[in-house]
Amino acid sequence: SNLDDLRLGIIDSAVRAGEIEVAERQVLLLADPEISRTKQVAAVLSEAGDDVRAKAVLENHCAVSGEAPPDICTALLQVCAALGDLRGAEASAQLLLQSGPLSEAQLALLRQTLGDRAEDLLSAAPRAQPQKAAAPATSRGVNGTRSSRRVPAQRSQILNKNQKPGATSPTSKSGSPKATPKRTGTSSISSV
């Protein structure tokens, strides 16, 4: 939509200017979320030490689009690992396993995050050979743009079990999610 096109421009400008709160608000308002912008804003939040808000951005993408693309699931797994959120990491891993074979880096992250539980998930998943750092499959979206292959997601798998659909993360008086202590120079989101 024209409004989403305007929001995408604002996101790009805000990220370049270091106005991450503005970029975050615009990503959360997109009617048709875009994988690259979602990951970009989540990565910037994570680099600033705000993995809680990064997780909220990634979860919002899945909730609004109704899909859980592998790139978003991988980023969500990384953020959940950084937060020590094993329930969220396991839900992300299950969605990621549904998307097809995992890369070596994804397998390593899964094992590092979930330990023995990772082996249980992997043994229950359909047998597939790990991918070598291959590019994700792409397809043409409704508006003609290329998008990564997406996997339908169960909203309950993406939201915390304690969080009801439509509920939001804790917010500050300004309406933006509460910040966690800042961690500088490190991002829990990498290009896995």
Side-chain angles (χ1 to χ4, degrees):
S1 76
N2 288 339
L3 189 54
D4 269 4
D5 290 341
L6 180 61
R7 290 188 196 291
L8 293 173
I10 293 170
I11 292 166
D12 292 339
S13 296
V15 168
R16 278 194 303 273
E19 295 290 336
I20 191 58
E21 292 81 12
V22 172
E24 177 187 14
R25 265 193 312 272
Q26 295 304 313
V27 163
L28 293 173
L29 292 171
L30 288 170
D32 186 20
E34 193 178 277
I35 294 170
S36 63
R37 301 302 197 319
T38 299
K39 281 183 54 181
Q40 180 183 28
V41 170
V44 172
L45 286 166
S46 182
E47 287 170 11
D50 206 339
D51 289 323
V52 171
R53 287 171 54 198
K55 180 181 176 193
V57 165
L58 295 164
E59 288 176 334
N60 179 74
H61 177 98
C62 297
V64 171
S65 70
E67 300 172 327
D71 287 354
I72 297 296
C73 290
T74 300
L76 195 52
L77 176 60
Q78 292 168 327
V79 169
C80 288
L83 289 169
D85 176 3
L86 295 181
R87 184 177 289 167
E90 186 171 331
S92 301
Q94 289 173 335
L95 290 170
L96 192 56
L97 286 166
Q98 292 173 13
S99 70
L102 303 183
S103 70
E104 293 294 335
Q106 289 168 325
L107 283 170
L109 177 63
L110 185 63
R111 288 182 174 120
Q112 176 186 0
T113 304
L114 297 176
D116 292 339
R117 180 67 184 129
E119 297 308 321
D120 294 341
L121 289 173
L122 290 169
S123 65
R127 293 282 176 223
Q129 293 299 319
Q131 295 176 352
K132 299 287 182 189
T138 58
S139 61
R140 293 283 175 186
V142 176
N143 61 3
T145 60
R146 294 179 70 86
S147 62
S148 294
R149 177 177 45 129
R150 296 178 178 184
V151 176
Q154 296 296 327
R155 191 169 183 178
S156 61
Q157 288 179 298
I158 297 163
L159 296 173
N160 289 335
K161 293 193 186 251
N162 297 335
Q163 184 178 2
K164 295 187 178 7
T168 59
S169 301
T171 57
S172 64
K173 289 181 183 177
S174 69
S176 58
K178 287 184 179 175
T180 56
K182 298 291 181 193
R183 185 180 68 224
T184 57
T186 59
S187 170
S188 53
I189 301 175
S190 63
S191 54
V192 174

